[in-house]
Amino acid sequence: MGTYSAKPAEVEKKWIMIDADGLVVGRLATIVAMRLRGKHKPTYTPHVDDGDNVIIVNASKIVLTGRKRDQKVYYHHTGHIGGIKERTARSILEGKFPERIVEKAIERMLPRGPLARVQLGNLRVYAGPDHPHAAQSPEKLDIAAMNRKNTRSA
């Protein structure tokens, strides 16, 4: 009996759709990161991209617990001296690209490296309820029903 190691040609990828309306960001991100890596499968292999393709809709309706909406700060650097910039979660959610909060939460739960960048390419996040992936016939994953703490009323 040897250890099973999946080959890239043997991997079967499914399409999963998640409605993020009312879901807590961190709890959503942990489940999606696990799905992207393929750790929910018995054939998980650390060096192979065997995760699923994940579509997240209604990303603008996610919920942050506590006072994180006003107090959580996202930093980025322009590359120039003294060029550190900061934005609160509220300003991002009310801005032009509210889906970036979900994308960053998931991205930071994946390990850094070439494989993680490929796995992050299997994630599609949309602020509204529409997505252009109907042809892939994604199956719905109800994260709200998994645990009562996964949802929070705003």
Side-chain angles (χ1 to χ4, degrees):
M1 186 82 188
T3 302
Y4 177 77
S5 183
K7 316 287 185 296
E10 298 170 355
V11 173
E12 295 218 7
K13 290 181 163 286
K14 293 195 308 188
W15 283 80
I16 306 292
M17 189 183 86
I18 299 170
D19 187 2
D21 189 8
L23 295 179
V24 177
V25 177
R27 289 176 167 271
L28 169 67
T30 55
I31 293 167
V32 172
M34 194 172 71
R35 288 265 173 180
L36 286 173
R37 290 199 68 200
K39 293 189 104 177
H40 64 290
K41 296 180 180 179
T43 59
Y44 169 70
T45 307
H47 63 277
V48 176
D49 175 25
D50 59 352
D52 295 333
N53 292 294
V54 180
I55 304 163
I56 300 176
V57 294
N58 289 324
S60 61
K61 296 179 184 175
I62 50 124
V63 178
L64 291 150
T65 58
R67 292 170 45 199
K68 290 188 201 107
R69 191 174 182 91
D70 297 314
Q71 293 180 344
K72 184 165 177 60
V73 179
Y74 290 88
Y75 296 98
H76 76 277
H77 201 283
T78 62
H80 294 289
I81 296 170
I84 193 142
K85 304 286 184 182
E86 62 181 43
R87 292 178 72 190
T88 62
R90 176 185 290 284
S91 67
I92 294 172
L93 284 170
E94 292 172 354
K96 194 172 181 183
F97 302 105
E99 63 271 11
R100 286 190 182 159
I101 290 209
V102 176
E103 289 172 358
K104 280 294 176 191
I106 295 166
E107 177 186 340
R108 291 170 179 169
M109 286 187 186
L110 294 175
R112 274 66 171 167
L115 180 61
R117 287 190 287 276
V118 170
Q119 289 169 342
L120 200 61
N122 296 328
L123 173 69
R124 281 103 174 150
V125 184
Y126 300 100
D130 300 324
H131 66 86
H133 306 287
Q136 280 73 29
S137 61
E139 65 178 62
K140 287 188 80 118
L141 181 66
D142 190 10
I143 292 179
M146 290 180 178
N147 189 336
R148 66 179 180 81
K149 292 181 178 179
N150 289 352
T151 59
R152 192 65 62 100
S153 58

